[in-house]
Amino acid sequence: FQETTPNVSSILYILLLLLSHSLIPIMAQQNKPEIGIAGQEVILKCTDIPHDKRVTWKYDKALIRSFEDTHLRGKLIFSKGKAAMTDRSEINSNSKHLRVLDLRLSDAGTYICESGSHRVSISLHVFKLTISYDGHFLSNEVPELTLMQNSSHTLPDLSITLFNSNNNIVRPTISEKTRQKYILKLKQLEATDSGTWMCHVQSASPLINQNISFDVKVLGFQNTDLERKYATADSTVILSWHLNFRKIKWKEGFTGQLIWKQQESATAYELLDFNVTARGEQHETKKSSRFQFEIRKPESTIELKLPKVHFNHSGQYQCQLAYNRRYVQSKIELVVMKVSANPAGPLPRGAEMTLTCQVSSPLPSNAHLRWERVNGTQMDIKKSKQNEVKVEVNVSAAGLWNCHLIEENDKKISLNYHVEEAPVWIIYVVIGASIGGGVLVFGLACLCIISGISWQRRRQRAKRMAQARQYLLENKTCQCQQ
């Protein structure tokens, strides 16, 4: 009897094995983690529900909504509870899934779908990603990114990777880190950083591999922050600032102005102001008549035309944008070059003149001025030294001279000066004029001397006559001779 009776421990082992196998599918249905993003929607699935069964959705035992499809009575019955997300939720009449709209961080937790004896438990893990200034920046500003998470379970330690609009990895600095909140600081933004960025969130336990996209709009210039433009005197110059508000679909209004000052420490003059409406309409107003200029109006561009630039038109032209009391600016430094001769005019034979090539402001260290004679030799080349604003060359023969402004071995602008030799008849005229002038001066000198002597004699004669009259009056006599 003992040999045929099963061992008690064996029976218990078999019962536990059967029980564990029967619980496996139940446990699998008891834990279905879902990821939700705040501000978006999430669909929580309730699977294997008969079509005509009543379905009830609960959040931590609080009723969200229920739904019943009654074929016999031919109508759908909906009811709702008092859970926090009830008014932002709906049950799909076909699939019985729960759709939660405008998800909030507090919506994280355990959701239960019940239908008769069928019960499904879903854990919702919610992430909330916010960016400073609501994603609207000016060039050179530093954005701050805040990532928060909430769950009914222990919050995991997250691994965060950022990708910019060009799908390149951006390495931020973490200014604050807790299990619930991560604050990241990015680098200074440029106008080209506008677009859709991606925040990739990972965790090993629970297993999370989630992408969260966010938009970044950077209002600014397609120019560089500081641009240098070279121009020759009396030429036409166009200064342009290209704005990117249309390209990035900027939907906010902003203002701006264009100012000019000859030097960094000099008085600034407002040349024009402008504004762009939320609809993208652009308006400019001329503010100064200090010198002649024109406002050109190509799309998304602030453009200034100087029809005949003068040496004193040089300086800094600064375009500034203003949005919500924040500012960004771009400068164009205009450098004007001119050439002159001393003495001016044709060069007499045997004489010398000095040619001067000059710029309106100091050049950068990689730039210089250079005089060179066309078809000349190496001896006919002269360069300016570092930080010099002019270079001079002495010329004793006729010829064509060119002055180049060279930056990094690139000729930016050039001006020429043609030294002409004075004709022979001009030399004779000059000699004749010199001789004639000398004779004239000599004649005038002689005339002055003669006039002076005559005036001196008249003065002496008058003096003697005065003395004689005085003598006669004193003696009270009158003498008549011959």
Side-chain angles (χ1 to χ4, degrees):
F1 177 80
Q2 291 181 349
E3 293 181 358
T4 58
T5 303
N7 191 310
V8 176
S9 61
S10 299
I11 294 173
L12 291 174
Y13 174 77
I14 293 171
L15 288 174
L16 288 172
L17 188 65
L18 291 172
L19 183 61
S20 64
H21 277 77
S22 64
L23 286 176
I24 287 175
I26 298 174
M27 293 175 64
Q29 286 189 328
Q30 297 272 329
N31 186 16
K32 290 185 176 181
E34 290 286 342
I35 303 296
I37 310 300
Q40 301 181 17
E41 66 176 57
V42 66
I43 296 177
L44 304 178
K45 298 180 180 180
C46 190
T47 57
D48 302 328
I49 301 298
H51 185 71
D52 57 349
K53 288 287 185 179
R54 176 184 174 88
V55 176
T56 301
W57 278 94
K58 296 180 180 180
Y59 173 76
D60 290 341
K61 297 182 181 181
L63 177 64
I64 304 173
R65 288 182 179 274
S66 65
F67 164 78
E68 185 176 2
D69 184 0
T70 57
H71 288 296
L72 296 177
R73 286 179 286 180
K75 60 180 179 179
L76 305 177
I77 301 175
F78 291 92
S79 60
K80 66 177 185 178
K82 296 183 178 181
M85 69 290 298
T86 295
D87 292 335
R88 294 179 285 110
S89 65
E90 59 184 31
I91 297 177
N92 187 297
S93 59
N94 294 320
S95 64
K96 311 299 190 298
H97 300 334
L98 178 69
R99 181 186 181 197
V100 182
L101 305 172
D102 190 19
L103 203 60
R104 298 171 185 174
L105 197 64
S106 57
D107 291 340
T110 302
Y111 290 75
I112 297 172
C113 171
E114 293 179 338
S115 178
S117 60
H118 192 84
R119 188 173 186 270
V120 177
S121 176
I122 301 174
S123 175
L124 179 62
H125 193 119
V126 178
F127 289 103
K128 182 180 181 181
L129 182 70
T130 56
I131 186 169
S132 55
Y133 297 128
D134 197 28
H136 288 70
F137 300 95
L138 299 179
S139 296
N140 299 324
E141 288 187 330
V142 177
E144 189 174 82
L145 203 65
T146 302
L147 178 66
M148 300 181 71
Q149 62 172 335
N150 192 16
S151 174
S152 57
H153 302 293
T154 303
L155 296 177
D157 189 14
L158 301 176
S159 172
I160 302 173
T161 308
L162 290 179
F163 297 87
N164 64 14
S165 57
N166 297 316
N167 205 30
N168 296 323
I169 293 178
V170 176
R171 304 192 185 280
T173 57
I174 300 177
S175 60
E176 182 181 335
K177 179 180 178 182
T178 64
R179 285 298 179 97
Q180 187 179 15
K181 181 191 290 186
Y182 297 76
I183 298 180
L184 313 174
K185 282 195 173 182
L186 282 64
K187 65 178 181 64
Q188 284 188 335
L189 293 175
E190 300 175 0
T192 54
D193 288 326
S194 296
T196 301
W197 289 47
M198 189 70 69
C199 177
H200 184 65
V201 182
Q202 286 182 304
S203 169
S205 179
L207 184 61
I208 296 175
N209 190 20
Q210 182 70 32
N211 286 327
I212 307 173
S213 62
F214 58 98
D215 289 330
V216 173
K217 294 182 184 292
V218 186
L219 178 65
F221 304 93
Q222 298 180 46
N223 311 53
T224 56
D225 290 342
L226 177 60
E227 181 182 336
R228 185 175 286 105
K229 189 176 184 68
Y230 300 111
T232 57
D234 296 330
S235 65
T236 297
V237 175
I238 297 177
L239 306 178
S240 300
W241 289 265
H242 304 283
L243 311 180
N244 69 339
F245 67 94
R246 293 187 191 278
K247 183 178 180 181
I248 64 175
K249 298 179 180 179
W250 184 274
K251 300 299 182 183
E252 305 287 336
F254 63 94
T255 61
Q257 61 178 349
L258 179 63
I259 61 177
W260 168 80
K261 52 185 176 181
Q262 201 155 31
Q263 299 175 15
E264 185 66 36
S265 57
T267 303
Y269 297 91
E270 186 179 7
L271 302 181
L272 63 91
D273 62 17
F274 60 92
N275 68 82
V276 177
T277 67
R279 299 173 60 184
E281 298 170 347
Q282 184 176 328
H283 307 280
E284 296 92 359
T285 304
K286 193 171 182 178
K287 304 292 286 186
S288 174
S289 57
R290 185 172 178 83
F291 51 81
Q292 184 183 1
F293 65 90
E294 301 174 13
I295 302 173
R296 292 160 59 91
K297 296 186 177 182
E299 187 174 301
S300 305
T301 302
I302 302 299
E303 198 164 276
L304 187 73
K305 180 181 178 182
L306 303 173
K308 194 173 183 181
V309 68
H310 297 160
F311 204 67
N312 59 358
H313 290 167
S314 62
Q316 294 182 359
Y317 292 78
Q318 176 180 299
C319 189
Q320 178 177 275
L321 304 182
Y323 170 70
N324 281 355
R325 297 183 180 180
R326 292 142 52 200
Y327 305 91
V328 64
Q329 61 190 25
S330 175
K331 294 180 182 179
I332 297 179
E333 182 180 355
L334 178 61
V335 180
V336 180
M337 185 176 78
K338 67 178 181 179
V339 295
S340 59
N342 185 26
L347 178 65
R349 185 177 299 176
E352 273 194 357
M353 72 166 49
T354 301
L355 300 182
T356 303
C357 182
Q358 184 176 0
V359 288
S360 55
S361 59
L363 298 175
S365 58
N366 62 344
H368 65 274
L369 299 172
R370 185 175 74 185
W371 270 119
E372 62 180 29
R373 183 177 180 178
V374 177
N375 298 324
T377 65
Q378 196 68 25
M379 298 296 293
D380 295 323
I381 295 176
K382 189 170 182 181
K383 299 180 182 179
S384 64
K385 296 178 181 179
Q386 191 170 351
N387 297 325
E388 283 187 339
V389 295
K390 67 179 180 179
V391 60
E392 296 179 341
V393 61
N394 293 322
V395 178
S396 58
L400 181 62
W401 288 78
N402 282 334
C403 181
H404 306 292
L405 194 160
I406 301 173
E407 186 179 80
E408 291 285 359
N409 297 320
D410 181 22
K411 292 181 181 179
K412 295 295 184 179
I413 52 175
S414 299
L415 271 177
N416 60 63
Y417 193 94
H418 191 199
V419 179
E420 297 179 347
E421 187 176 13
V424 176
W425 65 269
I426 290 183
I427 297 175
Y428 291 149
V429 168
V430 171
I431 294 173
S434 300
I435 295 172
V439 171
L440 180 60
V441 170
F442 178 75
L444 290 173
C446 292
L447 183 61
C448 290
I449 292 171
I450 293 170
S451 298
I453 293 172
S454 177
W455 176 77
Q456 187 69 21
R457 287 177 177 175
R458 286 196 301 271
R459 185 179 177 186
Q460 290 175 355
R461 188 181 298 113
K463 187 176 181 181
R464 287 196 299 269
M465 290 179 67
Q467 290 174 350
R469 282 195 297 269
Q470 184 67 25
Y471 177 78
L472 291 174
L473 289 172
E474 289 176 356
N475 290 284
K476 297 179 181 180
T477 60
C478 181
Q479 297 179 0
C480 296
Q481 297 177 359
Q482 300 177 351

